[in-house]
Structure formats: structure tokens, C-alpha cells
Amino acid sequence: MEITPLKQKTKVFWKKILYFLFPKKIPDNILRAYRRDLREIRSKAWHLYRIDLDKFSNEEFIQYTQIKLSVDRNLGKYQGLAKIIELLEVCFDATESYLLISDTEVRFRSPMQKTIYRFITETLNKENNEKALKVIDSKIRPLTGKIKTDHGRLVLTDYLDAIDTVAQYPLGFDLLRTFRTIHDTTELYGILRTIYDLARTFKKSEVQSIQQIEFAVQENIEVFTKLNGLLNVPKEHRNISSYARILQYIGLKNRYQKEAKEFEDLLKYLKDWQRIYKKIKFTQDKFSPYEYKLPSDFKEPIPASEIYKKYKKHL
């Protein structure tokens, strides 16, 4: 027999009446688990409430977080820029190490030293980064004890220490492979120094304006053109607009290093909070107020949920 819409509505109505008069009870084991989660999320919320969130309300910092989100998630005009930015940042952080490696290989050319350089080149060409470092450390570092002069030992030790420094970065050896093909290290240093100085010296009004940064790139276009080959910049990003976005991101990141670290800490706390939040919401959604007799703590706002809503998109 067909159930008419009216009969269906009537059935639902009486069902609600029955649940109202005789509500179900949430099982005790689920209720205990729910309250345990509530105690845990209150503890985590306490840490979130202690963070000074006002520092993240600065207009320029908000711009930085939005750009970082686009870079990290490969969105819009920032698609494909993450690796170029990472390579540049490695260049800035480890330039002295790269130059020391290059300078050592040019200046110190004894038969033994040339054998070491050749071995390192072959190792870098055939091994992945992690394996290459292990091979270099196990095969070459012990040779320092066999060098007769203090100066020779110091040169090799500094050289290997510079390689260790470069290896700390995920893309460090990738850059080393590229830089070893460049003979004019002075020009290399000049290119990196120009870009580094540009990114650091933008004033507040300039770093917020992509148009002003594009003008600065245009003024130094020869430097950025040379950068294409150094970092193997993809063709679609060999343009003023992409260079400007890279500079803007690095400039804002340099300016807000302290706040960025604290913001990352906030997101770390929020991710930890979110894990419990999802468990609580799952339990709440499973027990409808129309069917179950809900305790008062089922109806209370979840602590720190307003902070979560504000920063959820960054998680």
C-alpha cells in the first residue's frame, strides 16, 4: 500500500512525540568517552587562549599568511613557485658554504685533492642526497687524519663541513650539483646578493604593492634573467610578474619571521585541538536531541571553536 505524503508527515510527527516523551539514553561508555574528550579539549583550549592573537591581525601579516597559503597549496598565480622560493632561500642561507666549496676546488689542486673532488662529483651524480652524504662522510672525512700539514687538514675539514651544511637542506645537493658547473663564483654571489638585498629592503608600502615590486624587478631584469639558468626556472615563470611574487613572499617572510614562527605554533596547537574537536562533533552528530536525552554538556559551545573558525583555512 502506498504511503501518502500526509501519512508520512503524520508518522514522523508521532515519532517525534514518542522520542520527546520517552527519549533514548546515551550509552554510559560513550558518555564517559565524550566527557574525557571535553576535558582534553578544554586543556588544549587553555593554551590557545593564552596566545596573543592580536599580533596576527596586522594587515601586512594577514597578506603574508594569505600568500603563504597560496604558495604552499600551489594556488592561482603562485602555482609552481614553491620550489623556486625554496631554492632561493637555500641560496641565501648557505651561500657562504657554496662559495667555500667552489673556491676550495679552484684553489687547492693537489693530486689527492683532485681525486677527492672527482669522487664527490661521481657520488653526487649517481646517489640520492641522503646516500651521497653518508658515502662522502664515510669515505672522505677519515682522510683528514692522513694529511700531513695542519693547513691541509684545515682546508679539507672546512670543505667537508661546508658540504654538511649544504646537505641540511632538502634541495641543498640539487643546488650544489648546479653550482659546481659554474666557474664564475663572483658573478653567482653578485646575483644572489642583489636579489637578497632587494627582498630585504622593501619598505612597508612597497612590499604590499606588487606593482612597485615589479618595477624593482624591471630595474634589475638582467640579474633575474641570469637566475633562470641557475635555478632552472620553468619557462612559465620567467617573467616579471612571477619574480615580483617571489620577492614579495620572501620580503614579507623576512619581515615577519618571529610572528610566522608563532603563527606556525598556533596552527600546530589548532591541529592538535582539531583532532579532539572532530571526535566531539562526531559524537554530537550521532545523538540527535529529537531522539536522545542529552546532558547539558552536549549543548555547551566547544571551547576555542571561535579561534578554530578564524584560522581553519590555514590548517
Side-chain angles (χ1 to χ4, degrees):
M1 184 175 64
E2 185 181 352
I3 300 177
T4 65
L6 179 60
K7 285 184 178 181
Q8 181 65 32
K9 287 182 180 179
T10 303
K11 183 178 179 181
V12 171
F13 171 78
W14 283 111
K15 191 174 182 180
K16 287 182 179 180
I17 293 295
L18 282 173
Y19 284 141
F20 178 76
L21 296 173
F22 308 103
K24 298 178 184 178
K25 183 184 177 184
I26 299 175
D28 289 341
N29 63 322
I30 293 178
L31 202 52
R32 282 195 299 271
Y34 175 80
R35 285 172 174 158
R36 185 174 61 245
D37 290 337
L38 270 185
R39 288 193 297 272
E40 187 173 356
I41 207 166
R42 286 181 187 129
S43 173
K44 295 183 185 303
W46 180 80
H47 290 288
L48 288 169
Y49 284 128
R50 291 184 66 208
I51 297 173
D52 178 14
L53 299 178
D54 289 341
K55 69 180 71 175
F56 306 133
S57 300
N58 176 295
E59 180 184 350
E60 195 175 77
F61 181 76
I62 291 172
Q63 182 185 23
Y64 164 67
T65 61
Q66 290 171 340
I67 293 173
K68 185 178 187 303
L69 194 66
S70 297
V71 170
D72 291 346
R73 297 186 181 177
N74 219 23
L75 302 176
K77 295 177 180 179
Y78 296 90
Q79 186 173 3
L81 294 185
K83 185 174 181 180
I84 304 171
I85 290 170
E86 186 178 355
L87 285 169
L88 259 181
E89 289 179 330
V90 174
C91 289
F92 296 155
D93 291 345
T95 294
E96 297 300 331
S97 295
Y98 285 119
L99 290 173
L100 189 150
I101 292 167
S102 178
D103 188 54
T104 300
E105 292 178 354
V106 169
R107 291 179 56 204
F108 300 97
R109 305 289 297 173
S110 72
M112 181 182 180
Q113 287 165 329
K114 286 193 283 188
T115 300
I116 289 172
Y117 305 151
R118 187 163 54 250
F119 176 81
I120 289 175
T121 300
E122 291 171 356
T123 302
L124 287 173
N125 288 339
K126 69 181 182 180
E127 303 290 358
N128 62 42
N129 293 353
E130 185 177 354
K131 180 72 180 295
L133 180 62
K134 289 180 179 177
V135 171
I136 292 169
D137 275 344
S138 64
K139 299 292 185 181
I140 304 300
R141 198 169 283 278
L143 296 178
T144 55
K146 297 181 179 181
I147 297 176
K148 295 178 181 180
T149 66
D150 291 340
H151 182 255
R153 282 194 296 273
L154 181 62
V155 168
L156 182 57
T157 299
D158 287 347
Y159 175 75
L160 294 175
D161 286 347
I163 288 177
D164 282 347
T165 298
V166 166
Q168 293 175 13
Y169 302 92
L171 298 177
F173 274 174
D174 294 340
L175 274 175
L176 181 57
R177 292 182 183 96
T178 300
F179 288 173
R180 285 167 69 84
T181 65
I182 298 170
H183 301 293
D184 189 351
T185 55
T186 302
E187 183 182 37
L188 168 63
Y189 187 82
I191 292 169
L192 297 178
R193 173 54 61 184
T194 299
I195 296 172
Y196 181 70
D197 288 345
L198 273 174
R200 284 177 58 89
T201 55
F202 286 122
K203 297 176 183 177
K204 181 174 181 178
S205 60
E206 293 172 332
V207 80
Q208 287 184 285
S209 169
I210 197 69
Q211 289 80 15
Q212 291 199 50
I213 300 175
E214 286 177 345
F215 180 77
V217 171
Q218 178 62 59
E219 291 287 294
N220 295 272
I221 194 61
E222 289 184 7
V223 171
F224 287 94
T225 301
K226 292 175 181 177
L227 186 69
N228 293 333
L230 286 177
L231 302 186
N232 295 318
V233 177
K235 288 184 180 180
E236 63 269 24
H237 290 306
R238 297 184 177 190
N239 56 72
I240 290 174
S241 177
S242 289
Y243 298 143
R245 294 184 193 286
I246 290 168
L247 277 185
Q248 184 183 45
Y249 175 81
I250 294 174
L252 286 169
K253 184 176 180 180
N254 283 336
R255 182 168 297 180
Y256 290 103
Q257 279 186 341
K258 181 173 180 290
E259 291 85 349
K261 174 64 172 63
E262 292 170 345
F263 190 69
E264 288 300 318
D265 290 341
L266 167 66
L267 297 184
K268 183 177 70 174
Y269 280 125
L270 271 177
K271 285 177 183 176
D272 196 29
W273 180 96
Q274 183 187 52
R275 178 177 56 84
I276 308 301
Y277 172 79
K278 288 181 176 179
K279 291 172 66 178
I280 291 173
K281 289 298 291 180
F282 177 82
T283 304
Q284 289 180 341
D285 293 343
K286 281 290 181 181
F287 299 99
S288 164
Y290 298 109
E291 296 182 39
Y292 290 86
K293 183 178 180 180
L294 301 182
S296 59
D297 48 16
F298 259 69
K299 305 168 187 175
E300 294 174 1
I302 299 175
S305 56
E306 72 281 7
I307 298 176
Y308 175 65
K309 289 177 183 176
K310 185 173 183 179
Y311 298 106
K312 181 180 178 180
K313 67 179 181 179
H314 296 282
L315 297 177

